[in-house]
Amino acid sequence: MFGACANTRGIQSRDMALTSKSKPTFPKLTLKSSVEFDSGRREIYVLCITGTNKDLDGTIAASGSNNCINVYTNRGSGLEVAYQIEASGRGEGVVSGLEWADRQLCASSTDGHVRLWDTRKSSKTPTSTFQAGSDLVGEDAAIYIWDLRMGRDPIGQFTESHSDDIVAVQFKPDSTYSLASGSTDGLVCLFDLHTMEEEEAVISVKNSEASVCKVGFCGLNHLYCLTHEGGCVVWENAEVCGVEPLYTDRNVKNTIQDEFGVDIDYLVDYHYQSSSDELFLVGGDNSGGVRVLHCEDMKSPKPVGLFIGGHTATVRALYWDSTVDGETLVTGGEDGLVCLWTL
């Protein structure tokens, strides 16, 4: 099992309001529960959210600006805190990335470390700690690769593909050897990790022409990125260099306002629904509304849903789980709340 790290530096309850304009497959979700990340301290921002598939146990984890991680159970009544983890023993830095690897919870932090916890043991002590960092040092920005079966030392690192801070890495869902990276230099790179020789590992390099903040995969072999300026780019063939993007929008919020009269202040992330081969883009407004856009044919986003009544401030993170049993959406924001939306 491979791991990669780049960046170690995104109540009052009412029913959801939803408008549907296109695809009938869009899930009609309602707010099921809303919990404070740190009881009584609404100044704590929720920064990252991840979860295990409902086919496993539906456990949710969220990180806050207080350098803590809450692990939640998702029972019939909603989210309940099972236990809290202090992400750094020194109390330095904040969690910048959060993912599950089998039954291990992985967190990258701005203190320059990646930590793993075995959630089956409900342990607050990391089972493994890796030292990393991807901020630009001189002219080098590095991606570190680990094989978790082979100890704490990286099995490889790539230092020549990016010329500025690397802020996003993402494995292809159906492959542990295909890794995408995004950087503030505007480049999105795709690597084949069958080799640790960087020159041979680079499959393609794509230029978004803007500072990248998120990367990911969708469709049969599509690659996408979001930019810090509120733009998005989708490429049809992730492995081919020199091709024009399938879709580019330098400022999504202006486009949505001009075409549909809908206000969006920021973008959160894409979500690819593999069961129906549909791509959604999630954004929001500064008062806490969560706007869902459907990207027909992986292209132009169109508003299809609005989630209100959960948050009162900017939404920083989301986790969307699609299974045969239905949909689960978990959101976290600058109001210190973690909200669960279900069918």
Side-chain angles (χ1 to χ4, degrees), residues 33-48:
S33 70
S34 181
V35 295
E36 292 183 340
F37 184 86
D38 193 339
S39 181
R41 298 183 63 194
R42 294 287 290 274
E43 73 275 11
I44 301 299
Y45 289 5
V46 179
L47 303 177
C48 304

Side-chain angles (χ1 to χ4, degrees), residues 15-72:
D15 289 339
M16 177 194 72
L18 173 67
T19 60
S20 180
K21 295 185 180 180
S22 57
K23 291 288 185 176
T25 52
F26 179 74
K28 296 181 179 180
L29 307 179
T30 56
L31 181 64
K32 186 171 185 178
S33 70
S34 181
V35 295
E36 292 183 340
F37 184 86
D38 193 339
S39 181
R41 298 183 63 194
R42 294 287 290 274
E43 73 275 11
I44 301 299
Y45 289 5
V46 179
L47 303 177
C48 304
I49 298 177
T50 188
T52 61
N53 190 283
K54 285 184 291 187
D55 293 338
L56 295 175
D57 58 10
T59 302
I60 301 295
S63 67
S65 56
N66 59 349
N67 195 36
C68 290
I69 300 171
N70 285 350
V71 177
Y72 301 89

Side-chain angles (χ1 to χ4, degrees), residues 291-329:
R291 178 72 66 173
V292 179
L293 312 172
H294 177 254
C295 305
E296 188 170 0
D297 298 324
M298 311 291 170
K299 297 179 183 178
S300 305
K302 298 178 177 62
V304 293
L306 174 63
F307 297 79
I308 60 174
H311 294 282
T312 58
T314 299
V315 171
R316 288 286 197 106
L318 67 89
Y319 169 72
W320 191 338
D321 183 22
S322 302
T323 69
V324 294
D325 297 324
E327 308 287 334
T328 298
L329 178 67

Side-chain angles (χ1 to χ4, degrees), residues 179-202:
L179 178 72
S181 63
S183 167
T184 55
D185 63 8
L187 300 182
V188 175
C189 298
L190 184 66
F191 301 93
D192 181 355
L193 300 186
H194 282 95
T195 177
M196 290 296 127
E197 296 294 330
E198 185 169 2
E199 187 173 347
E200 298 178 12
V202 177

Side-chain angles (χ1 to χ4, degrees), residues 73-185:
T73 58
N74 183 5
R75 307 194 187 282
S77 59
L79 297 177
E80 297 179 5
V81 178
Y83 56 94
Q84 187 177 85
I85 298 169
E86 187 174 324
S88 170
R90 300 183 305 239
E92 300 175 357
V94 294
V95 173
S96 57
L98 202 59
E99 293 288 346
W100 293 99
D102 295 328
R103 294 290 184 170
Q104 295 188 92
L105 181 62
C106 309
S108 61
S109 172
T110 56
D111 67 0
H113 292 81
V114 177
R115 297 176 176 84
L116 277 68
W117 292 266
D118 188 339
T119 58
R120 292 168 298 184
K121 301 177 181 178
S122 299
S123 174
K124 298 182 180 181
T125 302
T127 54
S128 300
T129 300
F130 307 93
Q131 187 168 0
S134 69
D135 292 352
L136 191 66
V137 179
E139 298 181 353
D140 294 330
I143 299 172
Y144 298 89
I145 314 294
W146 291 272
D147 186 330
L148 300 183
R149 302 165 297 186
M150 299 177 63
R152 299 182 180 182
D153 294 329
I155 61 172
Q157 69 179 63
F158 301 149
T159 61
E160 299 178 356
S161 297
H162 290 288
S163 60
D164 211 333
D165 296 345
I166 303 166
V167 297
V169 290
Q170 183 69 53
F171 281 101
K172 193 174 183 180
D174 60 356
S175 173
T176 57
Y177 293 96
S178 294
L179 178 72
S181 63
S183 167
T184 55
D185 63 8

